[in-house]
PDB file of all heavy atoms in Angstrom:
ATOM      1  N   GLU A 994     -17.809  35.816  10.154  1.00 92.00           N
ATOM      2  CA  GLU A 994     -17.934  35.941  11.647  1.00 92.00           C
ATOM      3  C   GLU A 994     -18.123  34.593  12.314  1.00 92.00           C
ATOM      4  O   GLU A 994     -17.513  34.332  13.377  1.00 92.00           O
ATOM      5  CB  GLU A 994     -19.091  36.862  11.825  1.00 92.00           C
ATOM      6  CG  GLU A 994     -19.291  37.203  13.366  1.00 92.00           C
ATOM      7  CD  GLU A 994     -20.436  38.168  13.610  1.00 92.00           C
ATOM      8  OE1 GLU A 994     -20.197  39.311  13.191  1.00 92.00           O
ATOM      9  OE2 GLU A 994     -21.422  37.829  14.136  1.00 92.00           O
ATOM     10  N   LYS A 995     -18.838  33.676  11.602  1.00 94.00           N
ATOM     11  CA  LYS A 995     -19.101  32.433  12.191  1.00 94.00           C
ATOM     12  C   LYS A 995     -17.840  31.589  12.256  1.00 94.00           C
ATOM     13  O   LYS A 995     -17.622  30.821  13.213  1.00 94.00           O
ATOM     14  CB  LYS A 995     -20.238  31.642  11.350  1.00 94.00           C
ATOM     15  CG  LYS A 995     -20.579  30.337  12.033  1.00 94.00           C
ATOM     16  CD  LYS A 995     -21.810  29.767  11.443  1.00 94.00           C
ATOM     17  CE  LYS A 995     -22.291  28.510  12.256  1.00 94.00           C
ATOM     18  NZ  LYS A 995     -23.582  27.979  11.786  1.00 94.00           N
ATOM     19  N   LEU A 998     -15.930  32.828  15.310  1.00 96.00           N
ATOM     20  CA  LEU A 998     -16.535  32.332  16.515  1.00 96.00           C
ATOM     21  C   LEU A 998     -16.255  30.837  16.734  1.00 96.00           C
ATOM     22  O   LEU A 998     -16.039  30.369  17.879  1.00 96.00           O
ATOM     23  CB  LEU A 998     -18.035  32.534  16.461  1.00 96.00           C
ATOM     24  CG  LEU A 998     -18.482  33.958  16.370  1.00 96.00           C
ATOM     25  CD1 LEU A 998     -20.045  34.111  16.232  1.00 96.00           C
ATOM     26  CD2 LEU A 998     -18.050  34.718  17.670  1.00 96.00           C
ATOM     27  N   ARG A1001     -12.728  30.498  17.997  1.00 96.00           N
ATOM     28  CA  ARG A1001     -12.732  30.803  19.394  1.00 96.00           C
ATOM     29  C   ARG A1001     -13.275  29.593  20.274  1.00 96.00           C
ATOM     30  O   ARG A1001     -12.862  29.293  21.367  1.00 96.00           O
ATOM     31  CB  ARG A1001     -13.448  32.065  19.777  1.00 96.00           C
ATOM     32  CG  ARG A1001     -12.737  33.268  19.382  1.00 96.00           C
ATOM     33  CD  ARG A1001     -13.752  34.552  19.379  1.00 96.00           C
ATOM     34  NE  ARG A1001     -14.340  34.685  20.641  1.00 96.00           N
ATOM     35  CZ  ARG A1001     -13.834  35.263  21.806  1.00 96.00           C
ATOM     36  NH1 ARG A1001     -12.679  35.762  21.826  1.00 96.00           N
ATOM     37  NH2 ARG A1001     -14.584  35.345  22.886  1.00 96.00           N
ATOM     38  N   GLU A1098     -20.849  26.964  25.623  1.00 97.00           N
ATOM     39  CA  GLU A1098     -21.319  28.138  24.729  1.00 97.00           C
ATOM     40  C   GLU A1098     -22.836  27.788  24.450  1.00 97.00           C
ATOM     41  O   GLU A1098     -23.050  26.696  23.884  1.00 97.00           O
ATOM     42  CB  GLU A1098     -20.551  28.146  23.487  1.00 97.00           C
ATOM     43  CG  GLU A1098     -20.987  29.287  22.508  1.00 97.00           C
ATOM     44  CD  GLU A1098     -20.136  30.604  22.785  1.00 97.00           C
ATOM     45  OE1 GLU A1098     -19.030  30.450  23.396  1.00 97.00           O
ATOM     46  OE2 GLU A1098     -20.696  31.539  22.355  1.00 97.00           O
ATOM     47  N   ALA A1099     -23.697  28.765  24.771  1.00 97.00           N
ATOM     48  CA  ALA A1099     -25.101  28.506  24.687  1.00 97.00           C
ATOM     49  C   ALA A1099     -25.921  29.670  24.332  1.00 97.00           C
ATOM     50  O   ALA A1099     -25.588  30.734  24.663  1.00 97.00           O
ATOM     51  CB  ALA A1099     -25.663  27.760  26.014  1.00 97.00           C
ATOM     52  N   LYS A1281     -29.345  37.971   8.461  1.00 92.00           N
ATOM     53  CA  LYS A1281     -29.843  38.236   9.794  1.00 92.00           C
ATOM     54  C   LYS A1281     -30.376  39.685   9.961  1.00 92.00           C
ATOM     55  O   LYS A1281     -29.695  40.633   9.499  1.00 92.00           O
ATOM     56  CB  LYS A1281     -28.803  37.833  10.853  1.00 92.00           C
ATOM     57  CG  LYS A1281     -27.485  38.718  10.835  1.00 92.00           C
ATOM     58  CD  LYS A1281     -26.620  38.272  11.934  1.00 92.00           C
ATOM     59  CE  LYS A1281     -25.297  39.033  12.019  1.00 92.00           C
ATOM     60  NZ  LYS A1281     -24.365  38.607  13.063  1.00 92.00           N
ATOM     61  N   TYR A1283     -31.140  41.062  13.005  1.00 96.00           N
ATOM     62  CA  TYR A1283     -30.599  41.646  14.271  1.00 96.00           C
ATOM     63  C   TYR A1283     -29.038  41.634  14.221  1.00 96.00           C
ATOM     64  O   TYR A1283     -28.436  40.474  14.115  1.00 96.00           O
ATOM     65  CB  TYR A1283     -31.094  40.979  15.517  1.00 96.00           C
ATOM     66  CG  TYR A1283     -30.447  41.653  16.815  1.00 96.00           C
ATOM     67  CD1 TYR A1283     -30.830  42.957  17.113  1.00 96.00           C
ATOM     68  CD2 TYR A1283     -29.570  41.040  17.593  1.00 96.00           C
ATOM     69  CE1 TYR A1283     -30.390  43.566  18.222  1.00 96.00           C
ATOM     70  CE2 TYR A1283     -29.116  41.613  18.743  1.00 96.00           C
ATOM     71  CZ  TYR A1283     -29.549  42.878  19.056  1.00 96.00           C
ATOM     72  OH  TYR A1283     -28.880  43.590  20.141  1.00 96.00           O
ATOM     73  N   HIS A1285     -25.465  42.930  16.097  1.00 97.00           N
ATOM     74  CA  HIS A1285     -24.889  43.498  17.339  1.00 97.00           C
ATOM     75  C   HIS A1285     -23.453  43.634  17.121  1.00 97.00           C
ATOM     76  O   HIS A1285     -22.692  42.694  16.892  1.00 97.00           O
ATOM     77  CB  HIS A1285     -25.253  42.612  18.597  1.00 97.00           C
ATOM     78  CG  HIS A1285     -25.082  43.415  19.886  1.00 97.00           C
ATOM     79  ND1 HIS A1285     -26.030  43.663  20.738  1.00 97.00           N
ATOM     80  CD2 HIS A1285     -23.971  44.067  20.400  1.00 97.00           C
ATOM     81  CE1 HIS A1285     -25.545  44.333  21.769  1.00 97.00           C
ATOM     82  NE2 HIS A1285     -24.246  44.573  21.575  1.00 97.00           N
ATOM     83  N   HIS A1286     -22.964  44.900  17.244  1.00 97.00           N
ATOM     84  CA  HIS A1286     -21.447  45.110  17.155  1.00 97.00           C
ATOM     85  C   HIS A1286     -20.929  45.686  18.460  1.00 97.00           C
ATOM     86  O   HIS A1286     -21.598  46.464  19.046  1.00 97.00           O
ATOM     87  CB  HIS A1286     -21.275  46.152  15.977  1.00 97.00           C
ATOM     88  CG  HIS A1286     -21.511  45.561  14.654  1.00 97.00           C
ATOM     89  ND1 HIS A1286     -21.906  46.268  13.548  1.00 97.00           N
ATOM     90  CD2 HIS A1286     -21.411  44.196  14.189  1.00 97.00           C
ATOM     91  CE1 HIS A1286     -22.070  45.516  12.494  1.00 97.00           C
ATOM     92  NE2 HIS A1286     -21.714  44.281  12.839  1.00 97.00           N
ATOM     93  N   TYR A1287     -19.801  45.172  18.797  1.00 97.00           N
ATOM     94  CA  TYR A1287     -19.147  45.594  20.065  1.00 97.00           C
ATOM     95  C   TYR A1287     -17.786  46.206  19.716  1.00 97.00           C
ATOM     96  O   TYR A1287     -16.965  45.595  18.999  1.00 97.00           O
ATOM     97  CB  TYR A1287     -19.026  44.386  20.854  1.00 97.00           C
ATOM     98  CG  TYR A1287     -18.122  44.339  22.142  1.00 97.00           C
ATOM     99  CD1 TYR A1287     -18.702  44.573  23.429  1.00 97.00           C
ATOM    100  CD2 TYR A1287     -16.767  44.168  22.048  1.00 97.00           C
ATOM    101  CE1 TYR A1287     -17.836  44.452  24.546  1.00 97.00           C
ATOM    102  CE2 TYR A1287     -15.930  44.157  23.109  1.00 97.00           C
ATOM    103  CZ  TYR A1287     -16.479  44.333  24.348  1.00 97.00           C
ATOM    104  OH  TYR A1287     -15.628  44.305  25.481  1.00 97.00           O
ATOM    105  N   ARG A1305     -10.822  39.374  17.092  1.00 93.00           N
ATOM    106  CA  ARG A1305     -11.626  38.220  17.374  1.00 93.00           C
ATOM    107  C   ARG A1305     -12.368  38.367  18.795  1.00 93.00           C
ATOM    108  O   ARG A1305     -13.525  37.914  18.889  1.00 93.00           O
ATOM    109  CB  ARG A1305     -10.644  36.983  17.407  1.00 93.00           C
ATOM    110  CG  ARG A1305     -10.153  36.583  16.106  1.00 93.00           C
ATOM    111  CD  ARG A1305      -9.553  35.215  16.102  1.00 93.00           C
ATOM    112  NE  ARG A1305      -9.217  34.767  14.751  1.00 93.00           N
ATOM    113  CZ  ARG A1305      -8.985  33.511  14.474  1.00 93.00           C
ATOM    114  NH1 ARG A1305      -8.846  32.584  15.429  1.00 93.00           N
ATOM    115  NH2 ARG A1305      -8.667  33.079  13.259  1.00 93.00           N
ATOM    116  N   ARG A1306     -11.720  39.056  19.692  1.00 94.00           N
ATOM    117  CA  ARG A1306     -12.394  39.230  20.999  1.00 94.00           C
ATOM    118  C   ARG A1306     -13.628  40.082  20.807  1.00 94.00           C
ATOM    119  O   ARG A1306     -14.710  39.732  21.410  1.00 94.00           O
ATOM    120  CB  ARG A1306     -11.396  39.831  21.986  1.00 94.00           C
ATOM    121  CG  ARG A1306     -11.961  40.148  23.337  1.00 94.00           C
ATOM    122  CD  ARG A1306     -10.983  40.894  24.249  1.00 94.00           C
ATOM    123  NE  ARG A1306     -11.669  41.140  25.509  1.00 94.00           N
ATOM    124  CZ  ARG A1306     -12.353  42.303  25.699  1.00 94.00           C
ATOM    125  NH1 ARG A1306     -12.480  43.131  24.709  1.00 94.00           N
ATOM    126  NH2 ARG A1306     -12.814  42.589  26.951  1.00 94.00           N
ATOM    127  N   GLU A1307     -13.542  41.186  20.105  1.00 95.00           N
ATOM    128  CA  GLU A1307     -14.636  42.082  19.898  1.00 95.00           C
ATOM    129  C   GLU A1307     -15.740  41.323  19.136  1.00 95.00           C
ATOM    130  O   GLU A1307     -16.893  41.551  19.464  1.00 95.00           O
ATOM    131  CB  GLU A1307     -14.160  43.383  19.135  1.00 95.00           C
ATOM    132  CG  GLU A1307     -13.381  44.302  19.889  1.00 95.00           C
ATOM    133  CD  GLU A1307     -11.913  43.985  19.961  1.00 95.00           C
ATOM    134  OE1 GLU A1307     -11.516  42.972  19.499  1.00 95.00           O
ATOM    135  OE2 GLU A1307     -11.120  44.790  20.483  1.00 95.00           O
ATOM    136  N   ILE A1308     -15.358  40.593  18.159  1.00 95.00           N
ATOM    137  CA  ILE A1308     -16.444  39.847  17.412  1.00 95.00           C
ATOM    138  C   ILE A1308     -17.143  38.924  18.320  1.00 95.00           C
ATOM    139  O   ILE A1308     -18.366  38.652  18.283  1.00 95.00           O
ATOM    140  CB  ILE A1308     -15.825  39.158  16.130  1.00 95.00           C
ATOM    141  CG1 ILE A1308     -15.368  40.313  15.052  1.00 95.00           C
ATOM    142  CG2 ILE A1308     -16.748  38.146  15.517  1.00 95.00           C
ATOM    143  CD1 ILE A1308     -14.511  39.713  13.933  1.00 95.00           C
ATOM    144  N   GLY A1309     -16.311  38.163  19.097  1.00 95.00           N
ATOM    145  CA  GLY A1309     -16.963  37.132  19.986  1.00 95.00           C
ATOM    146  C   GLY A1309     -17.940  37.869  21.072  1.00 95.00           C
ATOM    147  O   GLY A1309     -19.000  37.297  21.340  1.00 95.00           O
ATOM    148  N   HIS A1310     -17.529  38.982  21.634  1.00 95.00           N
ATOM    149  CA  HIS A1310     -18.347  39.637  22.655  1.00 95.00           C
ATOM    150  C   HIS A1310     -19.569  40.202  21.962  1.00 95.00           C
ATOM    151  O   HIS A1310     -20.709  40.162  22.544  1.00 95.00           O
ATOM    152  CB  HIS A1310     -17.605  40.796  23.265  1.00 95.00           C
ATOM    153  CG  HIS A1310     -16.638  40.356  24.380  1.00 95.00           C
ATOM    154  ND1 HIS A1310     -16.356  38.890  24.585  1.00 95.00           N
ATOM    155  CD2 HIS A1310     -15.881  40.977  25.328  1.00 95.00           C
ATOM    156  CE1 HIS A1310     -15.525  38.801  25.599  1.00 95.00           C
ATOM    157  NE2 HIS A1310     -15.145  40.033  26.026  1.00 95.00           N
ATOM    158  N   GLY A1311     -19.496  40.691  20.695  1.00 95.00           N
ATOM    159  CA  GLY A1311     -20.705  41.161  19.992  1.00 95.00           C
ATOM    160  C   GLY A1311     -21.608  39.988  19.773  1.00 95.00           C
ATOM    161  O   GLY A1311     -22.833  40.161  19.907  1.00 95.00           O
ATOM    162  N   ALA A1312     -21.111  38.868  19.365  1.00 95.00           N
ATOM    163  CA  ALA A1312     -21.929  37.685  19.076  1.00 95.00           C
ATOM    164  C   ALA A1312     -22.607  37.183  20.367  1.00 95.00           C
ATOM    165  O   ALA A1312     -23.761  36.682  20.332  1.00 95.00           O
ATOM    166  CB  ALA A1312     -21.055  36.583  18.491  1.00 95.00           C
ATOM    167  N   LEU A1313     -21.933  37.269  21.493  1.00 96.00           N
ATOM    168  CA  LEU A1313     -22.524  36.819  22.717  1.00 96.00           C
ATOM    169  C   LEU A1313     -23.714  37.727  23.121  1.00 96.00           C
ATOM    170  O   LEU A1313     -24.795  37.240  23.476  1.00 96.00           O
ATOM    171  CB  LEU A1313     -21.441  36.843  23.835  1.00 96.00           C
ATOM    172  CG  LEU A1313     -21.999  36.557  25.267  1.00 96.00           C
ATOM    173  CD1 LEU A1313     -22.501  35.138  25.292  1.00 96.00           C
ATOM    174  CD2 LEU A1313     -20.821  36.692  26.317  1.00 96.00           C
ATOM    175  N   ALA A1314     -23.491  39.001  22.964  1.00 97.00           N
ATOM    176  CA  ALA A1314     -24.638  39.917  23.194  1.00 97.00           C
ATOM    177  C   ALA A1314     -25.774  39.730  22.265  1.00 97.00           C
ATOM    178  O   ALA A1314     -26.936  39.771  22.625  1.00 97.00           O
ATOM    179  CB  ALA A1314     -24.144  41.401  23.224  1.00 97.00           C
ATOM    180  N   GLU A1315     -25.442  39.479  20.992  1.00 97.00           N
ATOM    181  CA  GLU A1315     -26.467  39.192  19.957  1.00 97.00           C
ATOM    182  C   GLU A1315     -27.227  37.995  20.306  1.00 97.00           C
ATOM    183  O   GLU A1315     -28.501  37.913  20.286  1.00 97.00           O
ATOM    184  CB  GLU A1315     -25.765  39.056  18.640  1.00 97.00           C
ATOM    185  CG  GLU A1315     -26.728  38.964  17.444  1.00 97.00           C
ATOM    186  CD  GLU A1315     -26.023  38.947  16.123  1.00 97.00           C
ATOM    187  OE1 GLU A1315     -25.411  40.019  15.762  1.00 97.00           O
ATOM    188  OE2 GLU A1315     -25.899  37.882  15.530  1.00 97.00           O
ATOM    189  N   LYS A1316     -26.540  36.935  20.687  1.00 97.00           N
ATOM    190  CA  LYS A1316     -27.154  35.639  21.078  1.00 97.00           C
ATOM    191  C   LYS A1316     -28.115  35.821  22.342  1.00 97.00           C
ATOM    192  O   LYS A1316     -29.081  35.168  22.447  1.00 97.00           O
ATOM    193  CB  LYS A1316     -26.100  34.617  21.453  1.00 97.00           C
ATOM    194  CG  LYS A1316     -26.496  33.185  21.608  1.00 97.00           C
ATOM    195  CD  LYS A1316     -25.403  32.307  21.869  1.00 97.00           C
ATOM    196  CE  LYS A1316     -24.493  32.146  20.722  1.00 97.00           C
ATOM    197  NZ  LYS A1316     -23.326  31.220  20.927  1.00 97.00           N
ATOM    198  N   ALA A1317     -27.703  36.722  23.296  1.00 97.00           N
ATOM    199  CA  ALA A1317     -28.510  36.936  24.459  1.00 97.00           C
ATOM    200  C   ALA A1317     -29.780  37.627  24.197  1.00 97.00           C
ATOM    201  O   ALA A1317     -30.777  37.366  24.902  1.00 97.00           O
ATOM    202  CB  ALA A1317     -27.610  37.656  25.480  1.00 97.00           C
ATOM    203  N   LEU A1318     -29.801  38.463  23.124  1.00 98.00           N
ATOM    204  CA  LEU A1318     -30.998  39.259  22.883  1.00 98.00           C
ATOM    205  C   LEU A1318     -31.939  38.735  21.908  1.00 98.00           C
ATOM    206  O   LEU A1318     -33.100  39.058  21.872  1.00 98.00           O
ATOM    207  CB  LEU A1318     -30.540  40.725  22.591  1.00 98.00           C
ATOM    208  CG  LEU A1318     -29.881  41.467  23.761  1.00 98.00           C
ATOM    209  CD1 LEU A1318     -29.105  42.595  23.276  1.00 98.00           C
ATOM    210  CD2 LEU A1318     -31.041  41.932  24.735  1.00 98.00           C
ATOM    211  N   VAL A1319     -31.394  37.817  20.918  1.00 97.00           N
ATOM    212  CA  VAL A1319     -32.204  37.402  19.824  1.00 97.00           C
ATOM    213  C   VAL A1319     -33.531  36.707  20.369  1.00 97.00           C
ATOM    214  O   VAL A1319     -34.606  36.872  19.813  1.00 97.00           O
ATOM    215  CB  VAL A1319     -31.459  36.490  18.953  1.00 97.00           C
ATOM    216  CG1 VAL A1319     -32.353  35.572  18.055  1.00 97.00           C
ATOM    217  CG2 VAL A1319     -30.466  37.339  18.081  1.00 97.00           C
ATOM    218  N   ALA A1415     -28.250  33.165  27.089  1.00 98.00           N
ATOM    219  CA  ALA A1415     -26.874  32.976  26.509  1.00 98.00           C
ATOM    220  C   ALA A1415     -25.893  32.619  27.664  1.00 98.00           C
ATOM    221  O   ALA A1415     -26.093  33.097  28.831  1.00 98.00           O
ATOM    222  CB  ALA A1415     -26.460  34.190  25.823  1.00 98.00           C
ATOM    223  N   GLN A1417     -21.501  31.984  28.053  1.00 97.00           N
ATOM    224  CA  GLN A1417     -20.125  31.767  27.495  1.00 97.00           C
ATOM    225  C   GLN A1417     -19.191  31.549  28.714  1.00 97.00           C
ATOM    226  O   GLN A1417     -19.224  32.309  29.591  1.00 97.00           O
ATOM    227  CB  GLN A1417     -19.699  32.966  26.644  1.00 97.00           C
ATOM    228  CG  GLN A1417     -18.423  32.721  25.926  1.00 97.00           C
ATOM    229  CD  GLN A1417     -17.897  33.892  25.052  1.00 97.00           C
ATOM    230  OE1 GLN A1417     -17.299  34.832  25.506  1.00 97.00           O
ATOM    231  NE2 GLN A1417     -18.429  33.911  23.864  1.00 97.00           N
TER     232      GLN A1417
END
Side-chain angles (χ1 to χ4, degrees):
E994 185 174 291
K995 185 164 187 180
L998 297 175
R1001 284 170 52 85
E1098 180 90 20
K1281 61 179 180 179
Y1283 179 67
H1285 197 119
H1286 291 150
Y1287 166 103
R1305 290 190 171 195
R1306 177 183 177 277
E1307 286 85 352
I1308 291 172
H1310 281 6
L1313 175 61
E1315 185 173 294
K1316 188 179 296 184
L1318 291 162
V1319 163
Q1417 188 178 91

